[in-house]
Amino acid sequence: MSSESATRITPGNALRPEDIAASGTRAPADVAEYALRLGDDSLILAQRLAWWISRAPELEEDVALGNIGLDLLGHARSFLTYAGSATGRTEDDLAYWRREGEFRSAHLFEQPNGDFGRTISRQLVASFYFFELYTALLSSTDPTLAAIAAKAVKEVDYHRDHSVQWILRLAGGTGESRRRISRGLELVWPYAGELFDDDDAVRALAANGIAPLPSALRTNFDSGIGAVLREAELEVPDVPAAPGGGRRGRHSEHLGYLLAEMQVLAREHPGASW
Amino acid sequence: MSMFTETPSGLASVPAGEPAAGAASGPEAHFEQLLADDSRIEPRDWMPEAYRKTLVRQISQHAHSEIIGMQPEANWITRAPSLKRKAILMAKVQDEAGHGLYLYSAAETLGTPRDKMTADLIAGKARYSSIFNYPALSWADMGAIGWLVDGAAICNQVPLCRASYGPYGRAMVRICKEESFHQRQGFEILLELANGTEAQREMAQDAINRWYAPSLMMFGPPDDDSPNSKQSMAWNIKRFSNDELRSRFVGMIVEQVKVLGLTLPDDRIRFNEDNEDTGQWEHGLLDWAEFKEVLAGRGPCNAQRLARRREAHEDGAWVREAAAAYAAKQSAAQARQNEVA
């Protein structure tokens, strides 16, 4: 990829999916596959968070969770637009017309919302992971990935803060809230491991400086979350890791329902534009 | 009767008049003077109890309408047919939560806590705009709600930007700006559908057919059945009657629907130059019996909307309690630290 093609897409420039589509940049196949993973992670989590709007514990949280969902949807649109550029597909082709087994998201993101404690626990894991990932991607040799990460890292830093504040409040609030946040962490923790699994595809990208090795992000993730849990006087859950498989299109039972709802209207009207 | 509130606007500013010669001094005179000067009344100012009560009722009803109004649209976020539309819709529903927040804050400056207003809402004691008791059945409803419902809201709300109570008027300035953005987004959804496939056109027409009459009824009952309005008009507080505003709105949408290439479900719309009484754009009869049924709690979604709000509130109780307990512990710890220091 020539550096000229990325003149509109540089770290620090606000980057919209429309800009990526208009730039004519085409992702190489291996980068596209990687971008698909990142896009799917954010898309599925955004879809989950969207449910909370009009159902949150207080209006401020309708706004906050809505904001976080919107940020994630923005990241998803950029990554999916870039992923689709390799094969002439749009973000919507990828979001609405792939089957379940073609999604590359990790299991964490499709986990049910549960109560607010479980959602916040999932946010804690997700936001700390995203922060380490996008920080590492700032120095990607792929300028589009680096540019998307530059915008996203600032946003997920805020998401991190939001989840930390709630972990502290819920852990230090009442007996019930402490019980619920502990339970939420236990339910979510098994799905953290998959985020840091390396495979051949990502090892090849890492060798070219395009993407960080997921396993290399784990130390910072653990120390960041460990510090939060210590402050909240919570234990890192002692629960076995779930096997995962999302990067190969092997999902949990939850994703099918989520996709059925997300895709139903678009699929009723093939070829329509909205 | 004004949009999102079921009472006439008794709060729009009164035109500047002659200050009463030799007015008595004291807080009451100050209040009268502020009104006469077309100035804002601020929370610190003395105000008559009736003024305060009317404001709390009107502002809280408006806030409740924003909050309940999130539901029909939130219903389509997870199914939005493109990611761009999903993002726009999420942002819109989030704006509505924001409007609810500004409005509750404005009402709180009058001494009524948000908890009390929320409790009244979920107990079914407070009103919100009846329009949100109709169901959002298709994606095209996202367009029709934006174009017709937000459009009617804007017609009614713009005068409230000049409301004499400062916090309310200022909240309305911001809300009106966002509402007009929402209206354009709604129209754009319909335009895309109208230029789309046959099924999409049908969807758009069906949504307009369902939302047309309810949106016209948002302006309140006809003038001859709206005694409060007459009083408000006589005081020169309410500038335009329900029928005048409704007529003006019909005149707007009758032109806009042509751009869509769709129709309004009313073959009695006509321009009557001579009708300066109830407005020059005339329309067919509206079903006021239905309006009263919905207002009385017997609309298609009244029970559903209220149950959903109550459920969210009750499910979130433990979170709010935790936040309050945590904040109390933090400030106690801070106080101990200050003592030591």
Side-chain angles (χ1 to χ4, degrees):
Chain A
M1 181 184 319
S2 75
S3 57
E4 287 78 16
S5 70
T7 44
R8 300 184 58 204
I9 305 174
T10 51
N13 272 357
L15 181 66
R16 300 171 309 141
E18 290 82 0
D19 297 331
I20 297 171
S23 72
T25 308
R26 288 188 63 163
D30 54 349
V31 176
E33 174 65 20
Y34 181 69
L36 200 57
R37 295 178 179 189
L38 304 189
D40 286 348
D41 284 351
S42 293
L43 176 62
I44 301 303
L45 185 56
Q47 180 76 4
R48 280 288 186 229
L49 291 175
W51 180 89
W52 278 105
I53 305 175
S54 77
R55 294 182 174 91
E58 53 191 5
L59 291 179
E60 286 81 353
E61 281 307 300
D62 281 305
V63 175
L65 292 172
N67 245 328
I68 294 171
L70 261 175
D71 288 344
L72 292 168
L73 184 56
H75 308 162
R77 293 183 61 205
S78 291
F79 284 126
L80 292 180
T81 299
Y82 189 42
S85 70
T87 48
R89 288 181 290 176
T90 66
E91 51 176 308
D92 288 336
D93 293 336
L94 292 172
Y96 293 95
W97 297 94
R98 276 180 300 155
R99 287 173 296 115
E100 183 180 343
E102 296 171 285
F103 277 79
R104 293 289 177 263
S105 45
H107 288 201
L108 174 76
F109 307 105
E110 67 205 44
Q111 293 308 303
N113 285 328
D115 68 1
F116 187 72
R118 189 164 173 189
T119 288
I120 289 298
S121 300
R122 192 183 58 202
Q123 278 308 108
L124 179 77
V125 174
S127 60
F128 273 75
Y129 164 69
F130 284 140
F131 183 78
E132 295 307 328
L133 173 66
Y134 296 147
T135 300
L137 275 176
L138 291 176
S139 49
S140 170
T141 53
D142 182 292
T144 305
L145 290 180
I148 300 172
K151 179 169 189 287
V153 73
K154 295 177 200 148
E155 294 172 345
V156 298
D157 195 18
Y158 159 76
H159 305 172
R160 224 166 42 140
D161 186 51
H162 174 264
S163 63
V164 169
Q165 295 308 316
W166 273 114
I167 293 281
L168 295 177
R169 282 189 204 112
L170 297 179
T174 64
E176 181 178 12
S177 68
R178 188 169 178 82
R179 180 181 64 73
R180 287 189 188 239
I181 194 63
S182 305
R183 180 75 187 132
L185 285 167
E186 277 170 21
L187 287 169
V188 159
W189 201 252
Y191 306 99
E194 181 188 10
L195 302 173
F196 305 99
D197 285 344
D198 299 337
D199 61 11
D200 288 344
V202 81
R203 276 188 208 102
L205 292 174
N208 293 321
I210 291 169
L213 269 183
S215 58
L217 306 172
R218 180 92 209 208
T219 310
N220 283 353
F221 171 88
D222 280 338
S223 65
I225 287 204
V228 176
L229 296 185
R230 263 196 308 283
E231 189 180 345
E233 297 175 10
L234 292 168
E235 300 290 323
V236 175
D238 183 19
V239 287
R247 305 301 185 205
R248 289 177 282 115
R250 196 64 73 80
H251 292 280
S252 69
E253 291 177 346
H254 306 297
L255 186 64
Y257 294 96
L258 182 151
L259 294 180
E261 185 176 351
M262 184 175 85
Q263 296 177 334
V264 61
L265 176 59
R267 288 182 173 222
E268 271 176 32
H269 302 270
S273 73
W274 301 92
Chain B
M1 200 174 281
S2 76
M3 169 65 36
F4 287 180
T5 66
E6 310 292 359
T7 54
S9 156
L11 303 165
S13 56
V14 172
E18 287 293 302
S25 57
E28 193 163 351
H30 181 63
F31 175 80
E32 293 298 338
Q33 190 61 49
L34 286 174
L35 281 187
D37 295 347
D38 214 353
S39 297
R40 299 276 205 197
I41 314 292
E42 296 299 336
R44 63 175 179 275
D45 294 325
W46 180 89
M47 60 190 80
E49 211 38 46
Y51 178 87
R52 183 186 300 273
K53 265 176 84 172
T54 308
L55 271 169
V56 169
R57 190 180 60 225
Q58 176 161 340
I59 299 172
S60 63
Q61 282 180 8
H62 189 168
H64 297 330
S65 300
E66 296 284 355
I67 300 310
I68 296 289
M70 292 167 71
Q71 292 183 28
E73 293 176 295
N75 184 38
W76 283 93
I77 291 175
T78 53
R79 290 175 293 168
S82 77
L83 297 186
K84 185 178 166 192
R85 292 286 176 207
K86 190 192 291 286
I88 292 171
L89 186 59
M90 278 171 83
K92 182 185 177 189
V93 182
Q94 195 199 23
D95 279 350
E96 284 156 7
H99 296 174
L101 278 171
Y102 316 146
L103 289 163
Y104 283 128
S105 301
E108 284 192 311
T109 63
L110 293 157
T112 304
R114 203 212 291 183
D115 286 351
K116 159 104 175 61
M117 293 182 269
T118 303
D120 286 348
L121 174 65
I122 64 174
K125 285 196 270 180
R127 281 195 171 156
Y128 56 87
S129 179
S130 280
I131 193 81
F132 301 117
N133 291 317
Y134 290 90
L137 299 176
S138 82
W139 171 253
D141 289 33
M142 300 304 97
I145 289 174
W147 177 45
L148 296 174
V149 176
D150 294 336
I154 293 163
C155 284
N156 260 326
Q157 288 174 356
V158 164
L160 294 176
C161 297
R162 293 188 294 147
S164 55
Y165 188 59
Y168 189 32
R170 287 188 289 271
M172 290 312 302
V173 170
R174 183 159 171 192
I175 289 171
C176 283
K177 278 183 195 160
E178 294 181 352
E179 290 293 353
S180 61
F181 192 59
H182 295 165
Q183 192 200 13
R184 284 201 295 276
Q185 289 171 338
F187 188 79
E188 205 215 330
I189 288 176
L190 290 176
L191 192 60
E192 189 81 35
L193 295 176
N195 292 318
T197 65
E198 195 48 41
Q200 285 178 304
R201 277 182 74 81
E202 278 171 23
M203 191 193 290
Q205 184 63 61
D206 173 63
I208 292 172
N209 292 350
R210 284 181 290 107
W211 289 95
Y212 169 76
S215 70
L216 258 56
M217 289 194 277
M218 287 170 74
F219 293 93
D223 293 348
D224 54 17
D225 190 25
S226 183
N228 291 337
S229 284
K230 276 183 200 141
Q231 170 112 75
S232 220
M233 296 283 287
W235 284 337
N236 209 7
I237 290 173
K238 194 174 157 87
R239 307 294 177 104
F240 307 105
S241 77
N242 294 349
D243 285 333
E244 278 179 290
L245 284 171
R246 184 167 20 243
S247 168
R248 190 179 299 176
F249 179 64
V250 169
M252 256 169 52
I253 60 176
V254 80
E255 290 304 318
Q256 291 169 347
V257 80
K258 289 179 195 160
V259 179
L260 297 175
L262 299 171
T263 56
L264 297 174
D266 186 345
D267 55 12
R268 295 173 63 180
I269 296 178
R270 66 181 199 115
F271 187 75
N272 178 356
E273 206 172 312
D274 300 328
N275 190 352
E276 292 188 354
D277 214 21
T278 55
Q280 295 173 318
W281 281 100
E282 298 176 347
H283 53 82
L285 291 176
L286 295 168
D287 184 355
W288 292 106
E290 177 188 296
F291 178 80
K292 283 174 183 157
E293 280 294 290
V294 180
L295 200 61
R298 293 185 289 269
C301 299
N302 296 59
Q304 176 191 332
R305 301 285 185 243
L306 213 52
R308 159 91 162 266
R309 181 88 304 264
R310 185 181 300 126
E311 199 175 288
H313 188 71
E314 288 170 359
D315 287 352
W318 69 272
V319 178
R320 295 189 302 275
E321 283 159 18
Y326 180 75
K329 287 179 198 173
Q330 292 295 103
S331 53
Q334 188 62 49
R336 277 197 303 278
Q337 249 180 14
N338 290 348
E339 261 173 44
V340 174

